[in-house]
Each structure stands twice: as C-alpha cells, then as structure tokens.
Amino acid sequence: MTPVTPSPVPPSPGSDPVGFEPPPYPYDRLDDLRKVADTLEGGAVDLSIGTPCDPPPAAVVAALGGSDAERGYPPSMGTPAFREAAAGWLDRRFDVAIEPGRLAACVGTKEMVAGTPHWLRLRRPGRDTVLYPHISYPTYAMGATLAGCRAVPYRDLDSIAAPDADRALCLWVNSPANPTGELTDLAAAAAWGRRHGVPVLSDECYIEFTWGTPGRTILSHGPDGVVALHSLSKRSNLAGARAGFYAGDPDLVGYLSEVRKHAGFMVPGPVQAAAVVAFGDDDHVDAQRDRYRHRLDLMAAAMRSLGVECNTPPAAFYLWVRAPDGDAWALAHRLAAEAGVVVSPGEFYGPDGAAHVRVAVVQPDDRLELVARRLGVPTD
Ligand SMILES: Cc1ncc(COP(=O)(O)O)c(C=O)c1O
C-alpha cells in the first residue's frame, strides 16, 4: 500500500520549508453530530471516544489518595512493586513469566504509541518506515509522522512489500483490535518480525475483553524482538490515572526505558501505588466484562432495528458497522438524528475504514437503554 506520509524533505540552505501542521483532532470533527443528537429529549449519548465510564474499584481509588508517594520523584521504569504487580498479572492471567526487570512503566499507552518510533529512529537512523494495520487506532500513523517517518499501512503480513520491510523501524499489531474487535495471529507477527529483523510492537490494551476465546499476548511466543504494551485504562477503568507498561525483548525494553528516563517520562507515584492494587484484582474486570457484553448486545440490536447489519465483535467493546450504502457520515448523521447517539466515522481509522462507523459501548446502561427506547428496542 502507498505510504500516507511522505519522507521529510531536507531543507535547502536559506529556504524556510513548511513544517508540521497538526491535523484537526478526529473527535473534534464530531461537534455538528453532537448538536444534532443533543436536540433529542435526554440529550446526546456519546459513543464516539472509547473512554470508560464505570468506576474503578474503591480500593484502587483509596490507594491513589493514601500512598504517601507524592513527595519524591517516582522511578521512570516503575517501582519494584509496580513491576512485580504487572508481571504477576501477566503470569496469573496469561501464563507468561516475565522478569520484572524486562518490564517498564508508561504514562498510559498512547504516549508510548506516539513516541516509540521517534526513540527507535534515534537508534537506527537508517530506517524510516513504520508499518501498522490499515484499519487501526490513528496514533500508530501519527507516531510515524511525529518521528519524521513514512507511515505505511498493511492489510496483512504477506502483503508487506520487501522494500518497506527493509526500511521498517517497527511493525505494530493490535489484538484485540480497535476499531474492528478482530484478533490477530500474534505468533505469525512475532515470526515475521524475527525473519525481517524488525521489532514487533504489540498493543494489547483490550486483552481482557475477548468474547469467545481467552485473551492472548505476543509474549507467549517468546520475548525476542517483541514488545507488548498494556494499559490499566480499559482493564480497570483508569484512563484518567494514566498507567500502563511495556514488556518483552530485554534489549528493546532496556533501550526504551533508558531513553524514557532521560526524557522524564514518569507515572506519578500515587498512580503507581494504585496500579499495584488494580493489577492484583481480577473480580472488577470480570464485572466489567459482563457490562460490556450486555451493552454490545443491546447496541447491536439497536443498529439492527434501523435495518443496519450488525454483528457483535470477537473482542473489545466496539461495534464496527458497515453503512448500508457505504456512506459512513450519512449513517452517523442518521444515528444522531434518530437515536441521539454520536459515533465515529470509520475514516478516523484509515481510508479503508471509510464505509463503516465505530460504536463504542462506553456509556452507562441507563443511557444506552434510552437509545434503545428511542428506537423501540426492548431493554430487558
Ligand atoms: C488500540 C489502542 N491503543 C492504545 C490506546 C491508548 O490507551 P491509554 O493511553 O489510555 O493506555 C487506546 C485508547 O483508546 C487504543 O484504543
């Protein structure tokens, strides 16, 4: 596939080339839809951004306030307790043993996704290409742009052109995937990376939300050449606290954690203390899974009531819905006008997503039931 961003052009002496202009932030483009949805009684129900709405466990919130960890600088890599808790969770939930020294904290995973190509490029300046799934979370492409790299989307591993593989700094995989909810063959991704000498960065922030098969991590296929990214944002409804970690290949984790220490990335001490409690508990995750499962079913029924084909996904908490005539903006407008919901047009996730909308089931049950009632869908 063709790169979506060109290589940076070196400035010629004396010229004043045009620099980077941040594009409009995707979700800021939904204001008109919000206004339309807001005209319905009960107001707009925003299902555009995948931000959790349910409370984190009380013990986690208590740890935030009672850690006594706010005075000094926290370790950039994460406290020993943080790293042990994260490693313990991987072991307990996914049967993967990682030494806490091969794991480091990040400030939620978005900054890590956006920043890692830049750090990798400093180390391997001869490589200038970031490979990422063609329908995906927009920050993979943005991270390439911010590093002055080519952002090259791929449909599947076999379709990656040899010259792109030769220039690749890293390959992103995302399983379960945002926005499609699909699961990827992580063994194949790890093998591809090893064959081509390209680090595979595996964004696994939805790993706890699979609906028929157990969650899987790339780390099950060995750490060589791979780094898995995990987040407490979705797992424990802690998106506002900003806590995640990355783990895997000792050389890559060692390099990234050293660079990030120099650059001053630190998860705040109280957040690290809260993360220890969150990683130690699975009951709240099981309860959250039940909530999302119920909401997916309800919103899929709501879509079908409009004559739109809609299946629930294998994983994650998004419905990826094809617009009947391929016009996603038209479907988004219809959903705003008739159901009072705001959804994301699929072009936010790449040109190949342009015929779909993404529906994030991240509003409380009573708000989703309001949507269902507006469409005449039973709610029990
Ligand atoms: C695929 C994917 N990766 C990473 C993130 C970032 O999550 P956070 O920075 O809260 O860990 C998101 C958030 O929606 C996401 O969908």
Side-chain angles (χ1 to χ4, degrees):
M1 294 177 78
T2 28
V4 293
T5 47
S7 301
V9 181
S12 50
S15 72
D16 193 6
V18 177
F20 175 57
E21 270 292 334
Y25 196 66
Y27 299 102
D28 294 345
R29 295 170 57 202
L30 300 179
D31 288 350
D32 287 347
L33 290 179
R34 281 195 191 95
K35 280 186 201 131
V36 172
D38 233 359
T39 59
L40 273 74
E41 197 177 330
V45 178
D46 195 333
L47 306 182
S48 61
I49 300 179
T51 186
C53 68
D54 301 295
V60 173
V61 179
L64 268 178
S67 68
D68 203 23
E70 52 276 349
R71 271 169 254 191
Y73 290 107
S76 171
M77 207 176 164
T79 60
F82 175 96
R83 285 183 281 131
E84 272 158 34
W89 167 71
L90 281 175
D91 193 7
R92 186 177 75 244
R93 225 41 183 176
F94 308 106
D95 203 18
V96 166
I98 285 277
E99 283 169 38
R102 293 181 175 188
L103 178 161
C106 53
V107 192
T109 48
K110 182 164 180 160
E111 58 87 357
M112 186 83 199
V113 172
T116 299
H118 177 59
W119 311 127
L120 292 180
R121 192 165 194 209
L122 292 175
R123 198 185 200 197
R124 275 180 113 176
R127 301 244 169 172
D128 69 351
T129 295
V130 172
L131 301 169
Y132 65 100
H134 68 131
I135 298 176
S136 59
Y137 181 56
T139 312
Y140 305 125
M142 181 52 73
T145 303
L146 296 176
C149 285
R150 300 159 71 233
V152 177
Y154 66 87
R155 285 211 169 85
D156 54 59
L157 296 173
D158 293 339
S159 68
I160 296 172
D164 289 332
D166 290 345
R167 293 168 70 168
L169 262 182
C170 60
L171 172 108
W172 282 105
V173 286
N174 176 216
S175 182
N178 172 11
T180 61
E182 280 170 11
L183 298 163
T184 303
D185 182 347
L186 294 172
W192 186 95
R194 288 171 192 150
R195 213 165 44 246
H196 292 89
V198 174
V200 177
L201 308 178
S202 182
D203 179 352
E204 301 174 356
C205 65
Y206 297 98
I207 194 167
E208 296 272 24
F209 303 106
T210 54
W211 310 122
T213 50
R216 302 211 190 284
T217 170
I218 201 164
L219 299 172
S220 303
H221 308 290
D224 291 350
V226 305
V227 175
L229 274 66
H230 288 282
S231 173
L232 282 175
S233 296
K234 321 284 180 180
R235 177 186 187 273
S236 299
N237 298 328
L238 281 174
R242 314 306 303 140
F245 73 89
Y246 53 103
D249 186 286
D251 172 63
L252 286 166
V253 171
Y255 168 73
L256 289 169
S257 61
E258 282 302 307
V259 177
R260 291 169 54 83
K261 185 160 55 173
H262 283 292
F265 286 91
M266 286 171 264
V267 176
V271 175
Q272 296 199 35
V276 171
V277 181
F279 278 126
D281 179 68
D282 298 325
D283 289 348
H284 72 283
V285 183
D286 294 337
Q288 190 61 40
R289 287 167 52 80
D290 289 346
R291 286 186 200 112
Y292 283 139
R293 185 67 259 188
H294 167 71
R295 292 171 188 168
L296 283 168
D297 289 338
L298 185 61
M299 283 304 97
M303 293 298 135
R304 288 194 290 264
S305 78
L306 289 166
V308 176
E309 212 176 291
C310 180
N311 297 317
T312 54
F317 44 74
Y318 303 107
L319 297 172
W320 184 238
V321 186
R322 200 185 144 76
D325 54 1
D327 185 343
W329 280 98
L331 177 58
H333 274 281
R334 185 173 170 212
L335 287 167
E338 292 180 32
V341 295
V342 184
V343 301
S344 300
E347 68 176 48
F348 288 8
Y349 312 98
D352 288 354
H356 287 70
V357 300
R358 191 194 75 171
V359 183
V361 298
V362 292
Q363 290 287 336
D365 290 356
D366 61 330
R367 299 295 290 160
L368 298 186
E369 283 161 12
L370 171 66
V371 172
R373 277 198 306 278
R374 285 169 176 167
L375 296 174
V377 172
T379 54
D380 43 18

